[in-house]
Amino acid sequence: MAKEKKGVRLEHVSKIYKDPKTKKEFYAVFDTSLNIEPGTFVTLLGPSGCGKTTTLRMIAGFESPDEGEIYLGGEPINALTPNKRDTAMVFQSYALLPHYNIFDNVAYGLRLRKYDRATIKQKVTDILALVGLEGMESRMTNQLSGGQQQRVALARALVLEPGVLLFDEPLSNLDAKLRVQMRTEIRRIQQEAGITAIYVTHDQSEAMAISDQIIIMEKGVVSQIGTPQEIYYHPKNEFVADFIGEANFLKGTLVEKNGSDDKATGVARIGEDKVEVQEVGHLNVGDPCELVLRPESAVLADEGQLPCKVVLSCFMGSYQNYHVMVGDTLVKITDFNPKNKKIYDVGDSAFVVFDPKNVHIL
Amino acid sequence: MAGKQGSKLDRQKFFADPIMVTTIVLLIAFLTLFILYPLAILLVDSFLTEKGFTLDVFRRIMAMSNFRRAITNTLKVGFLVGIASSLIGLLFAYVEVYVELKTKLLEGLFKVVSMLPVVSPPFVLSLSMIMLFGKSGIITRYLLHIYDNSVYGFWGIVIVQTLTFFPVCYMMMKGLLKNIDPSLEEAARDMGASRFKVFSSVTLPLILPGLGNAFLVTFIESIADFANPMIIGGSYDTLATTIYLQITGAYDKQGAAAMAVVLLCITLLMFIVQKYYLEAKSTATLSGKASRARMMITDRSVTVPLSILCTLMALFVVLMYICVPFGALFKTWGYDFHLTTKWFAQVFTRYKGFKAFRDSFLLSLIASPITALLSMIISYLVVKRNFKSKGFIEAVSMLAMAVPGTVLGIGYIRGFSGGLFHTGILQGLYGSAAILIIVFIVRSLPTGTRSGISALRQIDKSIEESAYDMGADSFKVFMTVTLPLIKDSFLSGLVTAFVRSITAISAIILLVTPQFLLITVQINEFAEKGAYGIACAFATILIVITYTSVLLMNLFIKYFGTSRVTE
């Protein structure tokens, strides 16, 4: 549907803001370089204040970068005003024009582009069908539920067939169930329209569910870029590991290393215990290291790698939730399908068991 | 920190918008020429004597005891009127927005009453005050048999000004209350707060900046008011009347200029205090998300006392106004109560009534759309855009708010009678229709701008951003999104400008030349002479004109306004 899918490239882009209270300048976004391929769905993910929305607003043209250049489909667009950019944005507050009905809201951009009446009618009808709002053309915006308003906002952006579609936390005002439903919808529509999409959110499960690529930002800096799988299984640092899903961090030292490439295996010492580890090519013997252990990658058993003491044991239906102490470190474990397994109680001693393949070493 | 490429790009984007740049340049020229320059001339006048730069003129006027007394008089009246008006205004607004009124009649009465003082020339209430409570007043002389009651002086001014200005507060508060998301109050009620608690802990804090704003507006209006103290003040002089007498009676242009500077400093000071207090507290309560309609209060323990209170006040105001047409219909007020049409006849046969109405009407009609559009443009620029000279535009349009009409009038006399800086340039302006229209515009601009700004502040900025993002340039965004969203505010700005212009007197009385006959100037003249019959006849027709225009506006808003969205 998009006239032309466009890629977005940021080259060393920075944005400086002034703190209104202290009058001190700081980097809201610092030296960010991105390359977003045409037709992909990319999410900017991070806690509030990490610069993700500022980045999005710079691409839309509402903010001007203080350093660097932004390219849309290969063209530098720094000097273009938002109305001259081939982008369309879906706002967090929907930002529907309250004095127009649904049809007029969706037709607004088309009318500015001077399409004839018949074409506008056709396009609006088509796009409303795509977002599931057939026959609602004459409703006013305040007669719609939150989800419907969001669909109008999406239709209004899509109908312009922009080179890139921008989303600024579009689902944060919806309830949880609707959020899940809408994100699937957004992904489906993006795929059908074959459009480049950049999506800002602080909800990691949302990002995982819809993205081709996730860009994690922290304090104005890009921490990691990768597919959801790469980011989940191979987080580059503690921040990413902790932000995406749940993670346990076990501090130790590498005491043995076999091989020298990325795939090198070895042994790490955690407290008094030694565990086998994989993919330690980036470390040398004697280096401190950190094991990232996802709660679902470990189980409890009578024998295993790390002795522990159970401090919480809670039946959750589909899994048993454990908190255990390994030395001084709290480790969370979710043991799925616990029906025919031994259940440990608070105070029990046990061992944490995991497959070295499922552990990521920082 | 390194490169400031961002601000350069912002500038570049800004200049890519020629309509906006032109608008801003024209706006700056207008504001400089017609607001800043006349005030600057006043300063020059009052500091510059033959001996060069001195404080002599100020020393001279401060030595006058009547001037010193005028200062304290003005402040006392202003403070009291400010408080009384904002509270009564809040009461009326609250009752209209929150309380389920039982009868259509009561509802209508409220609207008429609240509108009446807005549409009437300010001194009409002074007239009726004298006719009801004065020496030959109907109530004092014939009902109470008091033969020496004096309405002239402090209390006369306070009562008349309060009744004149509270409707302005009422309109301001109504706008604010309507914009409060009802769910905020429902939430408080739900958490166990009583109605009063909801009002005091949720509603009141939300509208407190607005209430302060209303107080400020009335305070300054009261200080700047010229017509009421003129007619009902008696020997109780305020600054505005003192200045007027200084230039028309004593022909002391320098003294008047210096006094005007003093008056300006007072209003300016208050204005700045209030503005900074307000700025810190203003909150946006309207988002781009649609919210539900408010559940009206139907509890009789609330509706009955509030209704009675408002009805009593309403009846009093109605009485004051009914007085005026009757004043025009009685042969001799206070002595001969036979009905007659001779005063109306005289207005048109002896006193060039047609010309007066034509002049007033046309000049105001030209001024009001310009004012309304200009104030919406200024509000839009101030609230929604970022550019270098924005501070200037905002400051000067706000400054105009603090400039009393009398001060502006003196400034225009000094600034334009001899051309710009007494060089003869633009001298043709002085005494022309254009300068009267410009005075009308400048006088109404601050009110319009203020209401425009508060209306715009409550619109989520992403609504306009979304239009911008979809391809509209600033002009298009303004015309298709901003203006329609503040359509009510724009329309009321239009009508307010018209009404303010056609009823204006303080600045215009100093500038009008015999070539133009203005109704207000006529009323003032006849009222001062004690010719109440003629004054009332003029005033009645003026009220009819202004009330009709407000009625038309309300009808228009009802059928085409943004409130239709909620239906």
Side-chain angles (χ1 to χ4, degrees):
Chain A
M1 171 170 302
K3 272 177 295 201
E4 185 196 349
K5 303 175 200 180
K6 287 187 181 169
V8 175
R9 204 165 81 240
L10 272 67
E11 279 182 2
H12 304 289
V13 168
S14 298
K15 179 73 194 173
I16 299 165
Y17 278 151
K18 205 181 241 172
D19 189 302
K21 284 206 186 92
T22 60
K23 302 278 174 210
K24 263 196 191 149
E25 290 189 331
F26 64 95
Y27 278 106
V29 174
F30 180 71
D31 196 23
T32 294
S33 295
L34 300 174
N35 193 4
I36 294 165
E37 296 292 336
T40 52
F41 198 116
V42 176
T43 302
L44 290 165
L45 177 65
S48 58
C50 71
K52 55 191 191 301
T53 297
T54 305
T55 307
L56 194 77
R57 289 175 61 84
M58 282 195 283
I59 297 171
F62 294 120
E63 310 277 353
S64 302
D66 282 309
E67 288 157 19
E69 180 72 54
I70 300 175
Y71 298 86
L72 178 64
E75 309 275 327
I77 55 167
N78 266 7
L80 290 184
T81 49
N83 54 329
K84 303 272 185 245
R85 295 188 183 195
D86 192 13
T87 60
M89 182 138 150
V90 177
F91 289 79
Q92 179 170 18
S93 58
Y94 320 140
L96 301 182
L97 307 177
H99 54 301
Y100 288 158
N101 63 17
I102 307 303
F103 185 91
D104 291 334
N105 259 287
V106 179
Y108 185 85
L110 296 174
R111 288 191 178 131
L112 287 170
R113 283 162 182 73
K114 310 258 183 263
Y115 286 98
D116 61 78
R117 288 174 79 101
T119 315
I120 291 177
K121 189 154 177 26
Q122 189 57 47
K123 279 178 183 272
V124 173
T125 313
D126 288 351
I127 211 78
L128 285 178
L130 181 69
V131 300
L133 289 176
E134 304 94 330
M136 311 258 268
E137 284 87 348
S138 57
R139 296 261 187 108
M140 293 309 286
T141 58
N142 62 347
Q143 295 173 314
L144 301 181
S145 68
Q148 288 170 326
Q149 292 187 46
Q150 191 55 74
R151 282 166 203 263
V152 177
L154 182 58
R156 189 176 69 168
L158 271 175
V159 81
L160 300 177
E161 302 172 18
V164 55
L165 195 55
L166 307 173
F167 294 90
D168 183 13
E169 308 208 21
L171 304 181
S172 58
N173 287 334
L174 300 178
D175 64 63
K177 208 161 184 181
L178 202 53
R179 214 150 51 211
V180 172
Q181 189 192 330
M182 276 305 291
R183 75 189 188 205
T184 326
E185 282 280 274
I186 288 178
R187 177 63 170 169
R188 171 184 68 83
I189 291 165
Q190 180 261 340
Q191 298 268 293
E192 266 178 51
I195 202 167
T196 315
I198 306 177
Y199 189 103
V200 161
T201 182
H202 59 260
D203 181 338
Q204 45 113 352
S205 58
E206 207 169 287
M208 301 281 268
I210 53 178
S211 316
D212 295 315
Q213 293 259 315
I214 295 178
I215 298 166
I216 305 238
M217 294 188 73
E218 184 200 5
K219 291 178 189 154
V221 179
V222 172
S223 293
Q224 190 172 356
I225 303 176
T227 63
Q229 289 82 355
E230 280 167 357
I231 294 216
Y232 191 78
Y233 292 122
H234 302 281
K236 269 196 182 148
N237 54 41
E238 202 172 316
F239 172 78
V240 175
D242 201 29
F243 194 76
I244 292 285
E246 270 198 284
N248 299 299
F249 299 98
L250 293 160
K251 286 190 176 16
T253 320
L254 192 71
V255 291
E256 204 183 307
K257 186 177 174 187
N258 310 312
S260 55
D261 59 350
D262 282 353
K263 301 270 181 233
T265 58
V267 174
R269 195 179 66 222
I270 294 161
E272 298 304 312
D273 304 288
K274 289 186 176 171
V275 291
E276 235 180 88
V277 289
Q278 296 189 347
E279 294 182 31
V280 290
H282 57 295
L283 294 171
N284 292 317
V285 172
D287 283 351
C289 64
E290 210 166 358
L291 277 69
V292 181
L293 181 63
R294 298 284 180 193
E296 72 276 11
S297 305
V299 290
L300 288 186
D302 292 338
E303 304 251 311
Q305 285 112 314
L306 293 169
C308 65
K309 201 148 197 103
V310 178
V311 294
L312 180 127
S313 174
C314 187
F315 178 61
M316 303 296 289
S318 62
Y319 62 94
Q320 186 78 18
N321 188 18
Y322 292 114
H323 287 186
V324 300
M325 297 303 293
V326 176
D328 294 333
T329 314
L330 178 80
V331 174
K332 294 171 186 169
I333 292 171
T334 49
D335 195 351
F336 283 96
N337 200 9
K339 192 176 176 190
N340 297 316
K341 290 182 188 162
K342 176 178 178 187
I343 300 300
Y344 294 86
D345 282 328
V346 174
D348 286 355
S349 291
F351 283 87
V352 180
V353 182
F354 53 86
D355 184 339
K357 275 188 290 203
N358 291 337
V359 175
H360 179 69
I361 310 294
L362 289 178
Chain B
M1 283 209 181
K4 271 293 184 182
Q5 175 196 343
S7 37
K8 202 182 102 204
L9 284 172
D10 284 337
R11 207 156 43 239
Q12 213 172 326
K13 288 180 189 172
F14 174 75
F15 281 110
D17 210 339
I19 298 181
M20 186 148 107
V21 176
T22 320
T23 311
I24 291 173
V25 170
L26 289 179
L27 202 57
I28 291 177
F30 180 86
L31 295 176
T32 311
L33 195 57
F34 296 113
I35 298 179
L36 275 192
Y37 162 70
L39 299 182
I41 276 290
L42 285 183
L43 280 179
V44 172
D45 260 13
S46 47
F47 283 110
L48 213 59
T49 58
E50 303 87 67
K51 287 187 278 173
F53 185 87
T54 63
L55 285 173
D56 284 358
V57 189
F58 284 100
R59 246 178 246 125
R60 182 160 64 80
I61 59 162
M62 287 316 282
M64 300 183 200
S65 65
N66 69 327
F67 179 67
R68 290 201 308 271
R69 202 169 339 106
I71 295 181
T72 43
N73 286 352
T74 310
L75 289 178
K76 274 198 315 217
V77 170
F79 188 72
L80 209 57
V81 170
I83 290 191
S85 305
S86 42
L87 290 183
I88 299 177
L90 175 62
L91 175 75
F92 270 76
Y94 189 80
V95 169
E96 170 158 356
V97 179
Y98 281 78
V99 178
E100 182 81 60
L101 295 176
K102 276 269 167 335
T103 61
K104 276 264 178 275
L105 177 81
L106 199 61
E107 218 171 299
L109 189 67
F110 271 37
K111 277 192 184 136
V112 172
V113 160
S114 315
M115 222 55 75
L116 266 173
V118 178
V119 304
S120 83
F123 35 74
V124 160
L125 283 176
S126 291
L127 274 183
S128 43
M129 190 77 181
I130 294 169
M131 294 194 294
L132 285 176
F133 299 101
K135 272 199 179 118
S136 51
I138 294 202
I139 292 181
T140 39
R141 189 182 176 98
Y142 290 91
L143 287 180
L144 306 172
H145 301 289
I146 305 170
Y147 296 99
D148 59 346
N149 189 46
S150 171
V151 285
Y152 300 97
F154 177 72
W155 286 107
I157 302 179
V158 169
I159 292 172
V160 164
Q161 285 192 343
T162 303
L163 292 180
T164 309
F165 297 135
F166 90 84
V168 181
C169 303
Y170 157 69
M171 297 286 263
M172 292 167 78
M173 299 317 294
K174 190 170 102 177
L176 272 177
L177 289 174
K178 269 193 174 165
N179 276 334
I180 294 177
D181 186 345
S183 51
L184 295 178
E185 289 147 341
E186 281 167 15
R189 194 97 170 98
D190 187 57
M191 285 185 278
S194 65
R195 281 216 190 285
F196 181 74
K197 190 77 193 163
V198 170
F199 177 77
S200 65
S201 64
V202 180
T203 317
L204 196 59
L206 280 175
I207 57 167
L208 208 55
L211 201 60
N213 187 17
F215 171 79
L216 153 83
V217 170
T218 340
F219 200 143
I220 294 178
E221 287 267 355
S222 159
I223 287 182
D225 184 21
F226 163 78
N228 287 314
M230 196 69 194
I231 293 179
I232 208 170
S235 59
Y236 195 86
D237 275 326
T238 63
L239 279 171
T241 54
T242 310
I243 294 171
Y244 174 74
L245 293 174
Q246 197 68 18
I247 198 160
T248 55
Y251 295 106
D252 174 12
K253 286 180 178 169
Q254 277 203 322
M259 287 177 176
V261 170
V262 173
L263 174 56
L264 182 62
C265 286
I266 296 175
T267 48
L268 213 54
L269 189 74
M270 271 176 354
F271 182 71
I272 289 168
V273 168
Q274 194 64 34
K275 181 164 163 53
Y276 283 98
Y277 167 77
L278 273 177
E279 288 280 284
K281 297 215 162 195
S282 61
T283 42
T285 45
L286 190 75
S287 66
K289 262 198 306 177
S291 78
R292 288 175 313 105
R294 166 173 282 115
M295 300 289 293
M296 298 294 248
I297 298 175
T298 49
D299 189 347
R300 289 183 63 84
S301 67
V302 178
T303 57
V304 172
L306 285 184
S307 303
I308 290 177
L309 192 58
C310 286
T311 310
L312 285 180
M313 266 192 268
L315 285 176
F316 182 66
V317 178
V318 165
L319 185 69
M320 298 283 276
Y321 280 92
I322 284 179
C323 212
V324 174
F326 278 107
L329 289 172
F330 290 153
K331 267 191 178 150
T332 313
W333 186 267
Y335 299 99
D336 184 350
F337 291 110
H338 286 95
L339 294 180
T340 174
T341 55
K342 73 170 177 177
W343 303 121
F344 281 105
Q346 279 189 11
V347 162
F348 292 106
T349 52
R350 276 177 59 186
Y351 300 111
K352 294 188 189 160
F354 278 121
K355 181 173 164 44
F357 286 107
R358 198 192 57 212
D359 287 355
S360 278
F361 192 82
L362 278 183
L363 292 177
S364 310
L365 201 65
I366 298 170
S368 50
I370 305 177
T371 314
L373 199 63
L374 218 52
S375 50
M376 287 306 143
I377 292 174
I378 294 177
S379 338
Y380 170 75
L381 292 175
V382 166
V383 178
K384 304 287 177 180
R385 304 305 304 236
N386 247 325
F387 54 94
K388 268 242 168 76
S389 45
K390 171 174 142 174
F392 175 82
I393 290 180
E394 185 176 12
V396 176
S397 4
M398 287 301 132
L399 177 73
M401 175 116 200
V403 179
T406 316
V407 175
L408 198 72
I410 307 266
Y412 273 45
I413 292 179
R414 302 300 294 151
F416 293 106
S417 65
L420 287 187
F421 297 105
H422 312 295
T423 56
I425 301 169
L426 281 181
Q427 193 164 20
L429 206 57
Y430 192 73
S432 70
I435 203 163
L436 299 181
I437 292 173
I438 290 170
V439 168
F440 284 157
I441 295 173
V442 170
R443 293 290 293 144
S444 307
L445 198 58
T447 338
T449 308
R450 218 160 222 287
S451 84
I453 285 178
S454 67
L456 280 176
R457 284 241 162 92
Q458 301 190 323
I459 296 173
D460 185 353
K461 107 178 156 194
S462 60
I463 296 180
E464 274 139 339
E465 279 182 352
S466 76
Y468 198 24
D469 190 55
M470 282 187 279
D473 55 27
S474 328
F475 179 69
K476 207 72 193 177
V477 171
F478 181 76
M479 294 307 285
T480 58
V481 180
T482 316
L483 214 45
L485 282 183
I486 53 169
K487 186 160 59 181
D488 291 5
S489 174
F490 174 76
L491 267 175
S492 69
L494 186 78
V495 175
T496 311
F498 176 75
V499 169
R500 276 183 68 103
S501 301
I502 206 167
T503 60
I505 184 152
S506 57
I508 221 78
I509 199 171
L510 291 164
L511 293 171
V512 72
T513 45
Q515 185 190 347
F516 297 98
L517 273 183
L518 296 179
I519 315 175
T520 49
V521 179
Q522 298 291 309
I523 301 176
N524 186 56
E525 205 179 305
F526 288 109
E528 265 196 272
K529 282 191 216 156
Y532 295 125
I534 295 283
C536 284
F538 265 111
T540 308
I541 303 176
L542 184 52
I543 292 177
V544 170
I545 295 179
T546 49
Y547 188 58
T548 313
S549 51
V550 171
L551 221 56
L552 284 176
M553 168 190 81
N554 283 346
L555 274 178
F556 193 84
I557 288 182
K558 190 172 170 195
Y559 291 107
F560 304 103
T562 37
S563 52
R564 139 189 93 108
V565 173
T566 55
E567 278 159 22

